[in-house]
Amino acid sequence: MTSLSDRADAVRSGAPTPQRNSALRGSAAYRRITVALFCSGFATFSLLYCVQPLLPEFAREFGVGAAGASLALSLSTALLAVSIAVAGMVSERYGRRELMFASMAVAAGCNLLTAVAPSWHMILAARALEGLALGGVPAVAMAYLSEEIDASGLGFSMGLYVAGNAFGGMMGRVAMSVLSEAFGWRHAMLAIGVLDLLLAAAFIFLLPRSRNFVRSAGMRLGDHLAIWKAHLAHPRLRQVFAIGGLAMGIFATSYNYAGFRLMGAPFSLSPTLSGLIFSAYVFGIFASSWAGALADRFGRPPLVASGIAISCVGLLLTCASLLPLVIAGIVFITIGFFTAHSAASSWVGRLAQHGRGHAASLYLLAYYLGGSILGSVGGWFWEHAGWYAVTAFMLVQAALAAWLARRLWRSMPGA
């Protein structure tokens, strides 16, 4: 087994790791892996984001403001970010596949608890536990793909995984909007929980056991800290982590408060019609696959920069007073976000040739903390100055992400 010092040195040097038995694109193993990980992404993000269209409803029913209602999502994403680091350590010792299944099943159970919780504080507690449970999926999934998929097809498979995330996020939001108006939000929450329990069962059936994973049973906390420290000493990885956090901050802020804007003047949409705006996620599904494949061909920096630029166009369009332009703006923000995220997440796997689970956990820690913190702060701008202030707040984040992407592009244009 590779020693800790060897692994930490390899992280710093960027030496490649030979991969045996890697699944080649087009093989049966490759197809099973991509379908199973698509299911895991769908379940994870339908569970995580199904409350987003309910934020205006929560504000009315429980007497909380927009920023307070956003805690139903922000608490989940914040604890998801924290648990990702722990999940990365656990997966290094006990394996990827079993941990992802347990996380999906427990999180779906927490969604069922949310549906029957009698008070706002109990809803927040159940949602916090759900986020904590879900941490076992995202970082571990990225590490599994990096280990089990041949490097020539990694970008495409990562793009499909992110597409599953997008599809789950879209269906969780849209289905919740439609079902909650027809049957009430509690019944809708129950339906989503049951569906994702079934997807957890399909996942464990489809996903092949790891062939390239090396169990690190003897690793202690200090060993994990040394690997994380080595990753954080990598200047390019630090910049990718920051880009992920800022990109998610823009995306979370726009989707958190778009419903409040669309249900108010001058649009005055119903909850169902407002929720249908999340159908823009379908563009994210195609953008993820497209960006992943192009990243394999042209490199990551151009795709990250393009995604940020597309998001900026979308932000400006959302300031219009015409509904079609606002919808177009949401679509552009979605395409831009998933383009940048798909390219950046696969970039982590290429930069971190060793300790990929640790590197993925750091990327997703930054990613979800960015969405949680910046997404909640955006509520303050909405409550005090309206949508234009929210847009200005997001444009500042985009400018910082663009600056970081430019630095990366200049330092490694062919990455």
Side-chain angles (χ1 to χ4, degrees):
M1 183 179 296
T2 306
S3 69
L4 170 65
S5 60
D6 289 342
R7 292 180 71 179
D9 289 343
V11 168
R12 285 187 288 267
S13 68
T17 303
Q19 285 185 294
R20 304 173 190 175
N21 302 318
S22 297
L24 294 170
R25 185 172 174 179
S27 66
Y30 186 94
R31 288 191 292 271
R32 291 188 66 177
I33 290 170
T34 53
V35 172
L37 269 294
F38 186 93
C39 289
S40 75
F42 181 98
T44 300
F45 288 90
S46 61
L47 289 169
L48 187 63
Y49 290 111
C50 66
V51 297
Q52 199 163 45
L54 298 177
L55 299 186
E57 176 69 21
F58 287 158
R60 286 192 300 269
E61 182 172 335
F62 297 103
V64 295
S70 73
L71 289 175
L73 179 58
S74 294
L75 277 176
S76 298
T77 54
L79 285 176
L80 171 67
V82 173
S83 69
I84 280 171
V86 178
M89 290 192 295
V90 172
S91 75
E92 292 290 342
R93 181 165 187 152
Y94 297 106
R96 318 289 195 201
R97 180 173 174 266
E98 292 75 14
L99 178 61
M100 285 189 281
F101 168 72
S103 297
M104 292 166 65
V106 171
C110 290
N111 215 58
L112 300 178
L113 289 176
T114 303
V116 299
S119 68
W120 177 240
H121 289 97
M122 291 188 69
I123 288 172
L124 293 182
R127 288 290 300 171
L129 289 173
E130 189 169 332
L132 196 64
L134 283 173
V137 181
V140 180
M142 289 174 64
Y144 181 96
L145 286 172
S146 297
E147 291 165 349
E148 303 301 321
I149 297 292
D150 185 78
S152 63
L154 177 60
F156 183 74
S157 65
M158 192 72 75
L160 286 178
Y161 168 65
V162 175
N165 299 349
F167 189 53
M170 179 187 75
M171 292 306 298
R173 291 166 166 105
V174 173
M176 179 60 74
S177 300
V178 175
L179 292 175
S180 62
E181 187 161 359
F183 305 106
W185 68 266
R186 293 184 183 274
H187 288 91
M189 192 82 73
L190 286 170
I192 290 173
V194 170
L195 171 63
D196 289 325
L197 278 175
L198 295 175
L199 285 174
F203 167 84
I204 197 68
F205 173 77
L206 286 169
L207 191 70
R209 294 188 179 277
S210 299
R211 292 184 291 183
N212 296 310
F213 170 68
V214 178
R215 194 179 301 274
S216 302
M219 291 185 71
R220 298 164 296 179
L221 177 60
D223 301 333
H224 293 286
L225 292 175
I227 295 174
W228 277 324
K229 183 178 179 181
H231 284 315
L232 290 172
H234 193 308
R236 290 168 181 165
L237 273 175
R238 287 200 307 268
Q239 292 172 42
V240 175
F241 298 156
I243 288 172
L246 290 165
M248 184 56 175
I250 296 167
F251 189 65
T253 301
S254 61
Y255 269 68
N256 277 356
Y257 306 106
F260 287 92
R261 183 168 190 242
L262 292 173
M263 291 171 67
F267 307 111
S268 302
L269 299 184
S270 68
T272 296
L273 289 176
S274 175
L276 288 177
I277 195 68
F278 297 118
S279 298
Y281 253 71
V282 72
F283 294 94
I285 297 170
F286 293 108
S288 298
S289 301
W290 166 77
L294 287 181
D296 286 334
R297 184 174 181 183
F298 298 111
R300 275 72 185 165
L303 270 296
V304 172
S306 298
I308 296 168
I310 293 168
S311 293
C312 288
V313 173
L315 290 173
L316 295 175
L317 286 174
T318 62
C319 294
S321 57
L322 296 175
L323 183 59
L325 290 179
V326 175
I327 293 173
I330 296 292
V331 169
F332 272 78
I333 291 171
T334 304
I335 292 173
F337 165 72
F338 280 103
T339 298
H341 171 48
S342 182
S345 59
S346 64
W347 205 348
V348 172
R350 289 178 65 90
L351 288 173
Q353 297 294 335
H354 293 262
R356 290 190 179 97
H358 293 76
S361 70
L362 287 174
Y363 173 81
L364 291 169
L365 176 66
Y367 175 84
Y368 287 112
L369 281 180
S372 179
I373 296 170
L374 297 172
S376 287
V377 171
W380 184 91
F381 287 93
W382 168 256
E383 292 173 358
H384 289 82
W387 186 256
Y388 291 159
V390 175
T391 300
F393 174 61
M394 292 186 285
L395 285 171
V396 170
Q397 298 170 53
L400 289 172
W403 176 71
L404 290 169
R406 182 174 180 271
R407 290 188 62 186
L408 279 167
W409 197 344
R410 294 181 67 181
S411 65
M412 46 190 310

